[in-house]
Amino acid sequence: MQLSIRDIVFEVFRFLWENRLDLLRMMAAPVLALSIFGIGLSALLASGTPEAEGASLSGLHVLGLFLAVALPTIFYVMFAVAWHRRCLRSEEQTTILSALRWDRRKTLFLGRFFVIALITLALALPPAVITMIVGGGTAAGLAQSGVGGPSTGILFLQLGKTVIAVVVLLLQVRLAIWLPAAALDHKLTLMEAWVMGRRNSWRMVAILILSIAPAMLAAVLVSSAVGLFAQATGLAGTLTFRFVASLAFNFVYYIVIAASVSALSISYRELRRKPSPGTPYYV
């Protein structure tokens, strides 16, 4: 079957609006925790001096880099699993504690998330390397022949990056069907998830982009507003301002996550739905 882009996108918006209070409750803990962590980490890393504490500062940087990746990933998994179930099993009563409690389901979801990331990286890395080599070689060759210059090479590189980004997006949306199955305890292999999205790759990309577009626009507006306010007031360096700005960014970020998870959940539900045999025809 083919997914209906318009119907699914409208359903995503309707679902988010009708369940906005549940969304705020579920995202409150990750948004607050990540905002506090971000401010605390930046203050901790800025507290030492490289000359006197070179070794310890290096260790803090390594620990900070690890936590900066690990904590957002963990909170994403917690929220995504809970929101997948909220979207596809609305009758289930999910509490904040159950949403944040780590269990086998979240471990499986995290494992699949990493498998998808590694597959995408493995498939995207060779074309990226080839693009860099071909783009640089083309620029050098055109420059020697007098046909082009550095801008020509940059154009080739940008074109190659765009193609790779599109391919990566297509791969990810097809493989991401594997994730809601983990959240719902459905038995589904990676190959079955790939086959399930057949003939719907571009439709799933369109559904994802249109679903998160309003939240992404809000992110741009929030970023611009925060920047203008910081310039006008001179409060950019204060701890309070950075905390409030971090809260705003993380809030919009989780709206984007909720929209993308909702789009994936509804697409998964529609792809699993067996086509109707239609009305019987009697002679």
Side-chain angles (χ1 to χ4, degrees):
M1 65 169 295
Q2 285 193 330
L3 298 174
S4 172
I5 299 175
R6 183 192 62 182
D7 292 346
I8 292 179
V9 171
F10 283 166
E11 186 172 354
V12 169
F13 294 154
R14 179 187 60 79
F15 176 77
L16 292 174
W17 177 252
E18 291 179 354
N19 297 275
R20 57 191 181 277
L21 294 180
D22 287 340
L23 175 59
L24 291 175
R25 294 188 189 101
M26 286 189 181
M27 63 189 285
V31 167
L32 182 61
L34 290 175
S35 300
I36 295 175
F37 166 74
I39 296 301
L41 180 63
S42 61
L44 181 64
L45 294 179
S47 61
T49 57
E51 296 81 8
E53 303 175 17
S56 62
L57 188 61
S58 176
L60 284 176
H61 274 94
V62 172
L63 177 61
L65 180 61
F66 172 77
L67 293 178
V69 175
L71 284 184
T73 302
I74 290 174
F75 278 118
Y76 162 76
V77 171
M78 291 177 176
F79 177 82
V81 170
W83 198 247
H84 274 305
R85 298 184 70 85
R86 181 68 184 84
C87 187
L88 297 176
R89 291 188 177 174
S90 56
E91 73 282 356
E92 185 177 83
Q93 297 297 322
T94 303
T95 63
I96 302 300
L97 182 60
S98 63
L100 296 178
R101 185 174 59 243
W102 196 266
D103 52 25
R104 184 194 63 82
R105 185 182 298 127
K106 295 182 178 64
T107 302
L108 177 62
F109 189 97
L110 179 62
R112 291 186 176 185
F113 177 83
F114 280 130
V115 169
I116 292 173
L118 290 175
I119 291 175
T120 305
L121 178 63
L123 294 177
L125 189 58
V129 174
I130 293 173
T131 299
M132 296 293 293
I133 295 175
V134 172
T138 302
L142 291 176
Q144 289 179 0
S145 63
V147 177
S151 60
T152 308
I154 294 175
L155 179 62
F156 274 95
L157 288 176
Q158 291 300 329
L159 180 61
K161 289 178 182 178
T162 301
V163 172
I164 292 172
V166 171
V167 173
V168 167
L169 188 57
L170 288 169
L171 284 172
Q172 286 186 328
V173 295
R174 284 285 296 273
L175 296 174
I177 291 295
W178 207 26
L179 297 177
L184 297 177
D185 303 320
H186 291 166
K187 292 184 178 180
L188 187 72
T189 66
L190 182 60
M191 184 57 65
E192 289 171 341
W194 177 263
V195 173
M196 185 181 293
R198 186 174 49 193
R199 296 191 300 273
N200 282 290
S201 299
W202 289 106
R203 290 176 175 271
M204 292 176 66
V205 169
I207 289 169
L208 176 63
I209 292 176
L210 293 175
S211 296
I212 68 174
M216 293 299 294
L217 177 60
V220 173
L221 295 176
V222 167
S223 178
S224 299
V226 169
L228 290 175
F229 184 80
Q231 290 180 357
T233 60
L235 297 175
T238 63
L239 191 62
T240 302
F241 177 82
R242 286 190 295 168
F243 177 69
V244 173
S246 181
L247 277 176
F249 290 141
N250 285 320
F251 176 82
V252 178
Y253 172 64
Y254 265 83
I255 296 293
V256 174
I257 292 178
S260 64
V261 169
S262 301
L264 183 58
S265 292
I266 297 171
S267 299
Y268 174 74
R269 183 197 66 196
E270 294 301 313
L271 290 172
R272 278 181 58 90
R273 183 174 294 170
K274 294 182 180 180
S276 173
T279 305
Y281 178 75
Y282 299 99
V283 179

